[in-house]
């Protein structure tokens, strides 16, 4: 069920419509339904077996603390504790948190890690084919690619950027799968990898293209495959040149023009500055849940819209939750990276090959996600993306916790 939720249900969500039960009641789609069932099964299993919930590590404690702050922040925000708000918080914060607890227990065993990676590879291969189809559809419909992804209701991934981020996060896992021969033939793994590269390219996502190269390069650097970094750079550069040449024949060309990039960077800077001002006005507790979104008009009175996103998860967290929320929020990313670097710099990795591999995957994934998050504010409202991120982080935390327990026992 875990593999079904993380790997395959996001694909199902693209094709199956949500069920609307009327005003005031949240829609039910495949992702929401499956995640609720998984959470229920987990809680029933804990109650029946009386197993301890895996909160014996700093990362889980940070997640718990952040989850509590987000829920409490509704009290000092302009939102209200209605069904839609509670459902949104549960989906985007508590479901990924509970799923991460499941992952910490599951991924103690290498067999489970390999099984998950294998299924993730299969899932992103099909997502890459869908990305190619959407690009071809865009060229025929004479509209920009990103608008096609949006108008198609691209499931819980939302749009082209969401799809690109999901695919990029899978790249280190694919490289690990190739190294571990999880497929009978390595050529299958390389085929999947290049199909994912193609899928990212087809999204025409600028941050997706940059982090695709970065994730691959970090992995090759940490595994001391330096020659492949050059190959990756040449491939990425050639792909970007070809994509730019293609984009000049349709409506996506402006995405790569200097004036458009400078205009967007200027706009993002102003939005970030507004978030900092919101934080200064309430530095301890922030503006509350969706505080940036609801206070947008005060800082941009001449805007045609009343509410808008910061397009930056860090600015959003700072403005919404103040210091009490921002500290555990940053620890969600920085602590796993710190642990991974500690593992690679110590002798632990020599005696624990799995932990070493998981640390490399973590360092190759988390910084790339943070870069994407710097230019995309809605990632923490996207359960599909957050569940995959937490799953990948859980690889390292689970292996590290198990290793510490074994050393302490000895």
């Amino acid at each position: 069920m875990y593999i079904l939720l993380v790997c395959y249900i996001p694909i199902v969500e693209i094709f199956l419509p949500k069920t609307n039960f009327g005003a005031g009641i949240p829609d039910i789609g495949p992702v929401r339904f499956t995640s609720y069932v998984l959470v229920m099964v987990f809680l029933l299993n804990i109650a029946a077996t009386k197993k301890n919930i895996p909160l014996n590590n700093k990362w889980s404690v940070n997640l718990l603390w952040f989850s509590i702050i987000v829920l409490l922040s509704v009290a000092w925000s302009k939102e209200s504790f209605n069904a839609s708000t509670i459902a949104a918080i549960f989906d985007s914060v508590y479901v990924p948190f509970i799923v991460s607890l499941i992952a910490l227990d599951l991924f103690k065993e290498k067999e489970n890690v390999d099984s998950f990676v294998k299924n993730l590879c299969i899932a992103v291969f099909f997502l890459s084919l869908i990305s190619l189809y959407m690009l071809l559809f865009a060229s025929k419909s004479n509209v920009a690619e990103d608008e096609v992804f949006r108008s198609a209701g691209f499931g819980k991934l939302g749009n082209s950027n969401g799809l690109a981020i999901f695919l990029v996060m899978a790249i280190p896992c694919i490289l690990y799968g190739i190294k571990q021969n999880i497929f009978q033939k390595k050529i299958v793994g390389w085929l999947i990898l290049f199909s994912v590269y193609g899928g990212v390219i087809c999204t025409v996502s600028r941050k997706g293209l940059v982090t695709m190269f970065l994730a691959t390069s970090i992995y090759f650097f940490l595994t001391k495959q330096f020659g492949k970094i050059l190959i990756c750079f040449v491939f990425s550069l050639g792909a970007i040149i070809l994509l730019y040449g293609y984009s000049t024949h349709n409506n996506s060309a402006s995405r790569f023009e200097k004036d458009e990039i400078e205009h967007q960077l200027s706009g993002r800077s102003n939005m970030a500055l507004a978030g900092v001002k919101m934080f200064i006005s309430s530095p301890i507790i922030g503006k509350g849940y969706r505080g940036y979104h609801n206070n947008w008009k005060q800082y941009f009175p001449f805007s045609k819209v009343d509410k808008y996103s910061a397009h930056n998860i860090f600015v959003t967290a700072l403005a919404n939750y103040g210091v009490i929320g921002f500290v555990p929020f940053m620890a969600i990313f920085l602590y796993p990276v710190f642990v991974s670097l500690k593992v690679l710099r110590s002798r632990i990795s020599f005696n624990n090959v799995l932990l070493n591999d998981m640390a490399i995957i973590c360092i190759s994934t988390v910084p790339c996600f943070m870069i994407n998050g710097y230019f995309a504010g809605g990632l923490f409202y996207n359960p599909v993306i957050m569940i995959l991120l937490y799953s990948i982080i859980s690889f390292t935390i689970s292996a590290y916790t198990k290793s510490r327990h074994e050393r302490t026992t000895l």
Side-chain angles (χ1 to χ4, degrees):
M1 187 177 291
Y2 185 94
I3 289 174
L4 183 68
L5 171 63
V6 183
C7 301
Y8 297 113
I9 290 298
I11 301 176
V12 175
E13 182 95 22
I14 297 172
F15 302 101
L16 291 183
K18 297 178 181 179
T19 302
N20 191 313
F21 292 100
I25 302 176
D27 295 340
I28 299 295
V31 170
R32 175 172 281 172
F33 176 78
T34 308
S35 62
Y36 285 10
V37 171
L38 182 62
V39 168
M40 187 181 302
V41 170
F42 170 70
L43 296 177
L44 290 174
N45 181 61
I46 291 292
T49 61
K50 297 183 180 180
K51 292 175 62 176
N52 294 325
I53 298 176
L55 286 171
N56 57 340
N57 61 82
K58 294 180 181 179
W59 185 65
S60 296
V61 172
N62 274 310
L63 280 176
L64 177 61
W65 175 243
F66 179 71
S67 302
I68 293 172
I69 292 298
V70 172
L71 183 62
L72 293 178
S73 71
V74 178
W76 59 81
S77 71
K78 295 182 180 180
E79 299 286 321
S80 60
F81 282 103
N82 54 41
S84 297
T85 300
I86 298 300
I89 293 175
F90 188 75
D91 287 348
S92 61
V93 179
Y94 283 89
V95 166
F97 168 57
I98 296 174
V99 168
S100 71
L101 296 180
I102 300 173
L104 288 172
D105 186 52
L106 286 176
F107 296 140
K108 291 177 182 177
E109 307 299 330
K110 183 179 184 300
E111 293 76 10
N112 290 343
V113 174
D114 291 351
S115 177
F116 175 84
V117 169
K118 184 175 183 178
N119 283 277
L120 179 63
C121 289
I122 295 171
V124 294
F125 174 74
F126 283 108
L127 282 172
S128 299
L129 295 181
I130 295 172
S131 178
L132 174 60
Y133 170 79
M134 298 301 288
L135 180 72
L136 296 176
F137 177 76
S139 64
K140 293 179 180 179
S141 60
N142 197 34
V143 296
E145 283 85 347
D146 191 56
E147 292 303 317
V148 172
F149 280 94
R150 292 179 188 274
S151 63
F154 207 67
K156 284 289 184 178
L157 292 170
N159 55 33
S160 59
N161 287 321
L163 174 59
I165 293 168
F166 192 90
L167 294 175
V168 167
M169 284 196 293
I171 289 175
C173 292
I174 299 171
L175 291 169
Y176 164 80
I178 294 172
K179 177 186 175 185
Q180 293 296 319
N181 293 315
I182 63 172
F183 294 100
Q184 291 183 350
K185 296 182 179 180
K186 277 194 174 183
I187 187 64
V188 175
W190 287 108
L191 176 63
I192 292 174
L193 178 65
F194 283 103
S195 72
V196 168
Y197 286 164
V200 174
I201 292 168
C202 288
T203 63
V204 201
S205 170
R206 291 166 299 200
K207 47 185 165 287
L209 291 169
V210 171
T211 53
M212 174 186 76
F213 168 72
L214 184 61
T216 308
S217 298
I218 292 175
Y219 188 92
F220 285 148
F221 178 81
L222 294 176
T223 54
K224 299 180 180 179
Q225 301 179 69
F226 304 114
K228 291 181 180 179
I229 297 177
L230 179 60
I231 296 174
C232 178
F233 175 76
V234 173
F235 173 81
S236 300
L237 182 62
I240 292 173
I241 293 173
L242 289 174
L243 181 61
Y244 182 79
Y246 164 80
S247 65
T248 56
H249 298 287
N250 57 36
N251 297 327
S252 65
S254 61
R255 291 172 61 83
F256 297 94
E257 292 179 355
K258 181 180 178 181
D259 292 343
E260 174 65 16
I261 294 174
E262 289 179 349
H263 173 74
Q264 289 205 11
L265 289 176
S266 175
R268 299 290 173 88
S269 298
N270 291 331
M271 290 189 289
L273 181 60
V276 172
K277 290 180 179 178
M278 292 182 198
F279 165 72
I280 293 173
S281 67
S282 182
I284 305 301
I285 61 175
K287 295 292 186 179
Y289 181 68
R290 295 178 68 85
Y292 186 99
H293 184 261
N294 291 324
N295 289 277
W296 159 268
K297 194 67 173 180
Q298 296 180 23
Y299 296 85
F300 296 92
F302 300 106
S303 174
K304 296 180 181 179
V305 295
D306 295 330
K307 299 179 180 182
Y308 205 63
S309 166
H311 286 76
N312 185 312
I313 60 173
F314 306 104
V315 171
T316 300
L318 191 66
N320 289 3
Y321 313 117
V323 172
I324 61 171
F326 188 71
V327 171
F329 172 81
M330 291 302 297
I332 293 173
F333 309 108
L334 298 182
Y335 179 73
V337 173
F338 169 78
V339 168
S340 299
L341 290 173
K342 180 180 178 181
V343 167
L344 296 180
R345 289 175 178 175
S346 68
R347 292 191 175 185
I348 304 174
S349 59
F350 291 109
N351 301 320
N352 194 326
V353 178
L354 176 63
L355 178 56
N356 182 75
D357 287 336
M358 298 304 98
I360 291 173
I361 290 176
C362 182
I363 297 175
S364 303
T365 303
V366 175
C368 294
F369 176 87
M370 295 178 72
I371 292 172
N372 280 307
Y374 188 82
F375 296 99
L379 297 186
F380 254 75
Y381 298 108
N382 191 315
V384 169
I385 290 176
M386 296 314 302
I387 286 173
L388 178 59
L389 176 68
Y390 287 179
S391 296
I392 293 172
I393 292 176
S394 296
F395 292 165
T396 303
I397 303 299
S398 181
Y400 180 69
T401 303
K402 181 180 179 181
S403 175
R404 287 186 62 186
H405 176 72
E406 290 174 348
R407 295 199 308 273
T408 303
T409 303
L410 293 174

